[in-house]
Amino acid sequence: MNWNYQKDISGCGLSGLINKNGDRVSGEVIVRSIATQHDRGNGLGGGFAAYGIYPDFKDHYALHIMCESRQAQADVEAFLKSAVYIVHQEKIPTRPNSRIVNVPLLNRYFVKPRPDGDVTVFDQGISEDDFIVRLVMKVNLDIGGAYVFSSGRNMGAFKGVGYPEDIADFYRLEEYEGYIWTAHNRFPTNTPGWWGGAHPFTILDWSIVHNGEISSYGINKRYLEMFGYHCTLLTDTEVVAYLLDLLIRKHHLPIELACMALAPPFWQEIDRMDDDQKKLCRAIRMVYGSALLNGPFAILFAFNGGLVGLNDRIKLRPLVAATRGDTVYMASEESAIREICPDPERVWAPKAGDPVIAKLNPAAVEMQPFSMPLKTGGKR
Amino acid sequence: MEIDARGIYYRDLNRKIRSAVEAGERRFVLRNVNGQRYIADGIDEKITMEIYGTPGQDMAAFMKGPEIIVHGNAQDGVGNTMDDGKIVINGMAGDIVGYGMRGGRIYIRGDVGYRVGIHMKAYKDKVPVIVIGGKAGDFLGEYMAGGIIVLLGMFGGDRNGRPPAGYFLGTGMHGGVIYIRGTVETHRLGKGLKPAELNEEERKELRIFLEDFCSTFELNINGILKEEFYRIAPNTHRPYGNMYAY
């Protein structure tokens, strides 16, 4: 035995904030917060999600695509031309950072579905959101070496292999302003540390960052496949993004019930509830048994209308929340919040299994109202 | 010695503290602490340390002797495997406070997180004590083998309407004792545990800790004693001895 072995004691780190009035702050803020938790990661993954960053293209889906080769990029672009209108496309702006290496080709495309184009790969008459979900699945599944890692409107994910503060420098995040930011510092345990496997995971405007491991991954993955979601990114967290899309956007569950499906009360707790509550919890557990997330987790998920924090039911990962004015903060460690908000009005440790839901005030952000289901232009 | 810890990496901060202790320094004031891990870990001298800010994970782990006062909240793992000394936290603390603690005292004015006092143990006159002024999350005293936890449920933050302790209290407990102010619902306890009323001797023991807790935080003990306390302890030394016997 090597007694000099120094173990790096780590777990992933999370941080997120939302301004409920839709006031935007620079990415520099969330970077300072996640950098406070530097030692929760090991440099094999860092990433951010930002909302409200593309006001000029707010009605278009912003596809962030990473390609491992020029061929993959050519294949993706040929496919996109046949499936969507591209109003604007460009390289995702980056700057060289000596600690960020093996960078894939990173491009973004602001698009709308193209019903008059070559849509034979898709059913006729599906909603715009469904169209985009299928497009993402098709690229990730069928085009080798190409991955869509962000596909929402007026939001974007930025991620890669490296510490989050280096990833932020690489992507020039201080140049973006958003009203919701989430950040992740990765310490991969069971799955490879590669660009596609960094957090956040996204679909449409859902984004998720996660600390923990989802031991129900196999069940969740097979359940999602029945609804046309395919897990291609080799990390357990991916299922959560698709589960949220399925439960909230497709099945119209309120956020509270979607969170209950992911982290339901124990049967012994349900037994002591009043009849109405009991009926509801039983129904959720029975209908969505395959959506239950097993294993330790603290997650932050965001969408255009809000930010939500959730723990597994027995609190196997840390999560702290705080508020000041119209801003709500959530992070793995209180220090990550204090770094950017030294004097919060309220700080608390959320109860395990109970979501902390911070919604955007109605009409706080133009053209991105909080509505469920999301309104789309598609015919049904 | 006063240290402004703002922006100092945890290794540099701890190195500085350690070498000052070695050089004979016995009083420390740390300002602007924010998230630095492992503060005062393994220090076995009788130092005092006042911390302003939010100290990071595993503060005072393996500590043997120091007295630490935190003017603020602490994070997870406070007093992990602590051997001796005293920790005073004026705010709240996170999960697994006093993990495997084997001596000394930890006083927290506010709420604590989950699994506080997990695997605490006692040997002869080394009896660790945790007193919690606020409320606790699930699994308080899980696998507890010795020592004392006192839970008041009084001085916490906004956990209104929630009982002082969460679920699975004392699960796997086979030693030590947990005192709880007010009634405890039996279904919140680990299997085989029952709340019991205190006898005269136990009342006296509890009062000693409460008096010390109250003088530490300048609280009135009469208000605390207005409500009845209950005692939770395993019935036998090996309550799970037959669990896997056929």
Side-chain angles (χ1 to χ4, degrees):
Chain A
M1 170 133 356
N2 175 9
W3 299 103
N4 291 321
Y5 171 70
Q6 283 210 344
K7 187 173 192 280
D8 276 327
I9 301 168
S10 295
C12 300
L14 314 175
S15 186
L17 66 86
I18 173 172
N19 182 292
K20 295 203 272 187
N21 282 337
D23 295 341
R24 300 190 297 155
V25 295
S26 155
E28 172 269 334
V29 177
I30 198 73
V31 175
R32 272 194 289 135
S33 175
I34 195 72
T36 306
Q37 302 177 130
H38 174 89
D39 290 298
R40 297 190 69 89
N42 67 353
L44 288 177
F48 300 81
Y51 291 76
I53 55 170
Y54 295 136
D56 294 345
F57 300 107
K58 60 181 182 289
D59 298 328
H60 290 78
Y61 295 89
L63 304 180
H64 292 192
I65 301 181
M66 58 175 72
C67 292
E68 288 167 349
S69 66
R70 300 232 167 263
Q71 184 58 52
Q73 189 178 326
D75 293 347
V76 166
E77 290 184 350
F79 171 64
L80 288 183
K81 270 184 195 128
S82 73
V84 292
Y85 297 116
I86 302 173
V87 67
H88 181 67
Q89 75 179 73
E90 63 188 356
K91 280 187 178 168
I92 297 178
T94 57
R95 70 163 67 89
N97 181 306
S98 60
R99 288 183 290 273
I100 302 300
V101 294
N102 300 323
V103 179
L105 301 165
L106 297 162
N107 290 281
R108 61 188 173 199
Y109 309 82
F110 296 90
V111 308
K112 277 193 174 183
R114 183 174 171 172
D116 64 330
D118 175 13
V119 291
T120 52
V121 290
F122 300 119
D123 299 341
Q124 296 287 341
I126 61 171
S127 75
E128 287 194 339
D129 283 342
D130 285 337
F131 183 99
I132 295 295
V133 170
R134 293 195 190 185
L135 178 136
V136 172
M137 295 300 148
K138 183 157 178 64
V139 171
N140 290 359
L141 208 56
D142 293 346
I143 301 182
Y147 300 94
V148 182
F149 63 102
S150 189
S151 53
R153 284 180 288 192
N154 203 9
M155 61 78 68
F158 303 87
K159 66 182 193 178
V161 175
Y163 279 106
E165 55 271 30
D166 294 326
I167 290 290
D169 175 67
F170 170 77
Y171 280 111
R172 301 159 58 162
L173 290 193
E174 76 283 356
E175 294 172 5
Y176 296 81
E177 288 192 329
Y179 58 86
I180 303 172
W181 285 91
T182 63
H184 188 259
N185 187 9
R186 189 168 187 222
F187 184 89
T189 45
N190 298 326
T191 52
W194 71 293
W195 279 70
H199 301 216
F201 289 89
T202 70
I203 189 72
L204 298 173
D205 61 328
W206 304 107
S207 72
I208 165 139
V209 290
H210 165 223
N211 169 17
E213 50 190 76
I214 295 165
S215 42
S216 55
Y217 175 75
I219 290 166
N220 304 140
K221 177 176 179 279
R222 284 190 288 279
Y223 178 62
L224 287 163
E225 278 166 1
M226 295 196 290
F227 300 94
Y229 298 93
H230 299 280
C231 295
T232 53
L233 299 173
L234 311 176
T235 299
D236 52 2
T237 309
E238 188 181 9
V239 295
V240 185
Y242 306 154
L243 284 171
L244 293 169
D245 189 52
L246 177 69
L247 299 183
I248 301 175
R249 185 179 66 84
K250 296 292 288 179
H251 292 182
H252 307 175
L253 290 189
I255 291 170
E256 290 83 354
L257 289 189
C259 290
M260 186 192 280
L262 302 183
F266 291 107
W267 289 111
Q268 65 186 75
E269 287 177 69
I270 294 173
D271 287 343
R272 278 186 300 276
M273 291 173 174
D274 65 46
D275 283 349
D276 283 353
Q277 191 70 10
K278 200 180 273 181
K279 209 170 159 184
L280 175 68
C281 291
R282 280 188 177 155
I284 290 284
R285 286 208 65 160
M286 286 190 279
V287 174
Y288 291 110
S290 299
L292 183 149
L293 300 178
N294 229 325
F297 65 85
I299 57 177
L300 298 181
F301 70 84
F303 54 104
N304 279 327
L307 172 68
V308 179
L310 180 68
N311 258 132
D312 66 81
R313 301 169 291 173
I314 54 171
K315 186 72 201 300
L316 289 163
R317 289 294 181 273
L319 187 65
V320 180
T323 56
R324 175 149 192 101
D326 292 308
T327 305
V328 180
Y329 303 85
M330 301 179 205
S332 302
E333 298 182 21
E334 186 180 321
S335 53
I337 295 173
R338 298 240 178 216
E339 187 67 26
I340 54 173
C341 176
D343 209 9
E345 289 151 0
R346 185 179 165 219
V347 182
W348 76 103
K351 187 174 182 295
D354 279 5
V356 180
I357 301 172
K359 285 182 192 169
L360 206 60
N361 294 331
V365 173
E366 194 201 353
M367 293 305 289
Q368 288 295 350
F370 175 69
S371 67
M372 280 186 306
L374 292 168
K375 289 194 174 65
T376 67
K379 295 177 290 233
R380 291 200 79 100
Chain B
M1 177 186 234
E2 193 161 324
I3 301 173
D4 183 353
R6 188 187 300 278
I8 302 183
Y9 190 55
Y10 79 89
R11 289 191 177 189
D12 300 324
L13 178 64
N14 291 325
R15 209 171 282 139
K16 198 166 178 172
I17 294 168
R18 258 169 236 287
S19 46
V21 170
E22 258 173 53
E25 182 66 48
R26 290 295 175 265
R27 288 179 55 81
F28 293 83
V29 178
L30 272 51
R31 296 194 189 276
N32 300 314
V33 170
N34 196 40
Q36 284 96 342
R37 298 174 166 195
Y38 313 136
I39 291 175
D41 283 17
I43 291 182
D44 57 358
E45 298 288 345
K46 296 243 175 252
I47 65 164
T48 61
M49 183 183 284
E50 285 195 68
I51 298 175
Y52 292 86
T54 307
Q57 312 300 74
D58 280 314
M59 183 190 79
F62 313 112
M63 180 178 95
K64 192 176 183 178
E67 177 170 348
I68 297 182
I69 299 166
V70 178
H71 299 279
N73 299 334
Q75 295 189 166
D76 304 322
V78 169
N80 178 351
T81 327
M82 164 179 171
D83 192 70
D84 200 2
K86 183 175 177 182
I87 300 172
V88 174
I89 295 165
N90 282 280
M92 63 178 198
D95 298 336
I96 55 168
V97 175
Y99 180 168
M101 184 184 176
R102 49 196 62 211
R105 284 165 290 164
I106 303 179
Y107 294 168
I108 300 125
R109 192 193 157 99
D111 296 320
V112 294
Y114 287 65
R115 297 182 179 78
V116 169
I118 179 173
H119 275 301
M120 261 170 95
K121 54 205 71 177
Y123 180 68
K124 292 185 178 169
D125 61 335
K126 285 198 75 87
V127 180
V129 178
I130 301 176
V131 184
I132 302 153
K135 295 178 179 179
D138 299 352
F139 304 103
L140 180 70
E142 193 183 21
Y143 306 122
M144 194 170 166
I148 294 160
I149 298 176
V150 182
L151 180 65
L152 303 181
M154 294 177 73
F155 308 107
D158 38 18
R159 298 189 186 180
N160 294 336
R162 280 165 62 181
Y167 287 106
F168 309 109
L169 186 144
T171 297
M173 185 177 182
H174 54 102
V177 55
I178 302 174
Y179 293 109
I180 297 190
R181 184 181 184 271
T183 46
V184 201
E185 299 158 296
T186 319
H187 70 256
R188 294 188 170 271
L189 304 182
K191 277 207 170 67
L193 297 175
K194 274 194 199 86
E197 289 182 12
L198 277 61
N199 64 29
E200 228 15 73
E201 200 152 312
E202 288 153 359
R203 253 175 239 280
K204 260 187 240 166
E205 180 187 64
L206 175 63
R207 196 178 170 101
I208 295 169
F209 302 126
L210 290 180
E211 276 172 356
D212 196 27
F213 183 82
C214 286
S215 71
T216 302
F217 292 114
E218 294 173 6
L219 297 165
N220 185 349
I221 193 165
N222 294 328
I224 293 173
L225 290 173
K226 261 185 196 152
E227 183 109 23
E228 199 60 45
F229 277 81
Y230 290 88
R231 174 181 197 279
I232 291 148
N235 293 327
T236 68
H237 180 59
R238 299 191 68 233
Y240 313 101
N242 293 321
M243 207 168 194
Y244 301 106
Y246 297 98

